[in-house]
Amino acid sequence: MDSTAVILGAGYAGVMAANRLAGRGVRVRLVSPEERFTERIRLHEFTAGTRADPTVPFSSLLHPDVELEQGAAVEIDASARRVTLSGNRVLDYDWLVYAVGSGNGSVPAGADAPDRLTGAGSAREKLAGLLPGEPVAVVGGGLTAVEMAAETANAYPENPVTLYVAGPLVPHFFAGARAGVLRSLKRAGVQVRRQLVEPEHLPEAAAVLWCTGFGVPDLAACSGLPVDDAGRLMVDSSLRAQGHERIFGAGDAAVITDPGYGYLPQTCASAMPMGAEAASNILRSLAGKPLPPHDSGFQAQCVSLGRRDGAVQFLHPGYTPRRFHVHGRSAAGLKEVICRMTLRWIRGEAKRSGGYTWPAGPRTTAEGASRNSSPTGAWSSPSPTT
């Protein structure tokens, strides 16, 4: 093989990029600090104890030609095209995909952040040790906080759950859909309290689940790569890092700074198309072809509200709400189908590079918007950072 691609991060963006590149004449080395793939969209279930294991073996997801490198990247030397991993291991690359993911920016003492596997594990243990009547506080107003509060309340009906929301609840939902979510939370026994929680003044509760804030690893910043104020790698519309033609970014840890992309949220439904597109652009670069602007959009947002309740907010391609929304058991069933399909899309890409497609974004964002238009990537599942 003439070229080596190193992919940093084995989340939704990273595994999709690895599978698209594998078997295409490129050596693919996927760097993961974890031994198994984590379904982050299942972590609220794991935390509440309604799912035993939110991980699956990489062997069940990856193309057989992908080389899995266990460890964490600690430095990128862009001029030498070299990545240093923990333990002073060094990987040389011709192409790099930066897909290291995200997590809560800062977790206050006394709280657990279940947006990552380690935090979800500690929160799970704390909830399992609660005595009847001991309260649980969930902090945040996004989809992750809503799912965590509802799942916990259903799993621990003897423990009162309060959701602390500083601003609008699920702000990108239509007003009618938001009202339906509030009704579901009330049925589950969740009290919604409009209050800003300061990290130094946590609610009095036996367990505090911190589901707010956004943070990314400082790897790009420490390596001298261009980053925004949040520390995300800045890339252009082709997902190429500014000033570095051999580095592409995808997922939560990358941000497209060209005009027209501010609608993209931090979700796996954004990460997977970006990972696939980054890999495709490496293949296009090798073939001497021009790189098209990234183009991805949305059709709906699914949120679970316990195992038998949920909500589906249908969306315009630019992640703005339509008036149509669905609630109840059918919405919960649809969310479960989409969660299962997420792994199926990843496995499908391993079987046939280029098989994964996704819906087009807003017509004003990218040229040729119909090229990726397909129902397969139409649904959005919340990332723990929302």
Side-chain angles (χ1 to χ4, degrees):
M1 297 182 181
D2 296 331
S3 294
T4 296
V6 171
I7 301 171
L8 301 182
Y12 294 102
V15 294
M16 185 62 76
N19 282 343
R20 177 152 294 197
L21 283 170
R24 301 291 295 272
V26 178
R27 183 186 184 188
V28 181
R29 308 182 77 174
L30 178 63
V31 178
S32 172
E34 298 175 348
E35 296 180 356
R36 292 164 63 92
F37 177 82
T38 299
E39 290 188 83
R40 292 186 69 183
I41 56 178
R42 300 282 198 182
L43 286 179
H44 63 287
E45 301 172 41
F46 176 66
T47 300
T50 55
R51 174 169 289 270
D53 188 356
T55 70
V56 297
F58 280 113
S59 59
S60 72
L61 297 178
L62 294 174
H63 188 285
D65 288 348
V66 174
E67 302 174 27
L68 188 63
E69 302 285 349
Q70 196 75 40
V74 296
E75 183 181 11
I76 301 168
D77 186 339
S79 60
R81 297 181 192 166
R82 181 171 298 164
V83 177
T84 302
L85 306 185
S86 50
N88 292 321
R89 287 185 296 147
V90 173
L91 299 181
D92 294 319
Y93 68 84
D94 298 293
W95 305 92
L96 184 74
V97 177
Y98 187 86
V100 295
S102 66
N104 284 109
S106 179
V107 182
D112 293 289
D115 67 316
R116 303 293 288 189
L117 186 58
T118 52
S122 61
R124 176 188 174 100
E125 292 179 3
K126 188 170 293 184
L127 290 176
L130 293 177
L131 298 175
E134 289 187 313
V136 177
V138 181
V139 181
L143 292 169
T144 298
V146 167
E147 290 196 327
M148 191 65 66
E151 196 79 24
T152 302
N154 278 282
Y156 293 91
E158 295 183 350
N159 297 94
V161 177
T162 302
L163 176 62
Y164 291 84
V165 183
L169 188 75
V170 287
H172 67 290
F173 273 32
F174 188 72
R178 190 179 305 117
V181 171
L182 283 168
R183 288 193 297 270
S184 292
L185 289 172
K186 185 177 180 180
R187 283 196 301 269
V190 177
Q191 178 185 1
V192 178
R193 187 168 179 176
R194 307 288 179 175
Q195 176 182 330
L196 173 65
V197 175
E198 300 289 351
E200 61 273 15
H201 297 104
L202 296 180
E204 293 186 6
V208 178
L209 307 183
W210 194 259
C211 301
T212 187
F214 175 83
V216 298
D218 61 0
L219 175 63
C222 292
S223 299
L225 298 176
V227 297
D228 70 353
D229 291 341
R232 296 176 295 177
L233 178 70
M234 296 194 296
V235 300
D236 61 20
S237 62
S238 68
L239 306 182
R240 188 155 48 188
Q242 296 176 5
H244 299 275
E245 64 176 15
R246 296 295 185 115
I247 299 177
F248 290 84
D252 288 357
V255 58
I256 303 174
T257 56
D258 285 350
Y261 289 93
Y263 70 94
L264 286 175
Q266 285 76 41
T267 70
C268 68
S270 298
M272 292 194 300
M274 290 178 73
E277 190 88 276
S280 290
N281 281 345
I282 289 175
L283 296 173
R284 292 183 182 112
S285 298
L286 287 168
K289 297 180 179 179
L291 308 186
H294 180 63
D295 176 22
S296 65
F298 304 87
Q299 291 184 344
Q301 176 79 70
C302 303
V303 55
S304 67
L305 298 163
R307 295 300 82 213
R308 293 180 294 276
D309 196 2
V312 178
Q313 170 66 71
F314 288 85
L315 302 169
H316 294 286
Y319 206 66
T320 56
R322 299 181 186 271
R323 297 184 69 89
F324 184 48
H325 46 90
V326 178
H327 295 266
R329 188 180 293 268
S330 60
L334 184 55
K335 170 66 188 296
E336 178 60 28
V337 168
I338 298 306
C339 287
R340 295 181 184 182
M341 285 297 297
T342 300
L343 294 186
R344 184 176 177 181
W345 293 326
I346 293 171
R347 291 177 176 129
E349 187 67 25
K351 294 178 181 177
R352 184 171 69 88
S353 175
Y356 172 66
T357 56
W358 54 90
R363 298 299 300 185
T364 57
T365 297
E367 299 174 359
S370 63
R371 84 177 176 280
N372 288 319
S373 185
S374 167
T376 58
W379 306 89
S380 175
S381 292
S383 160
T385 58
T386 50

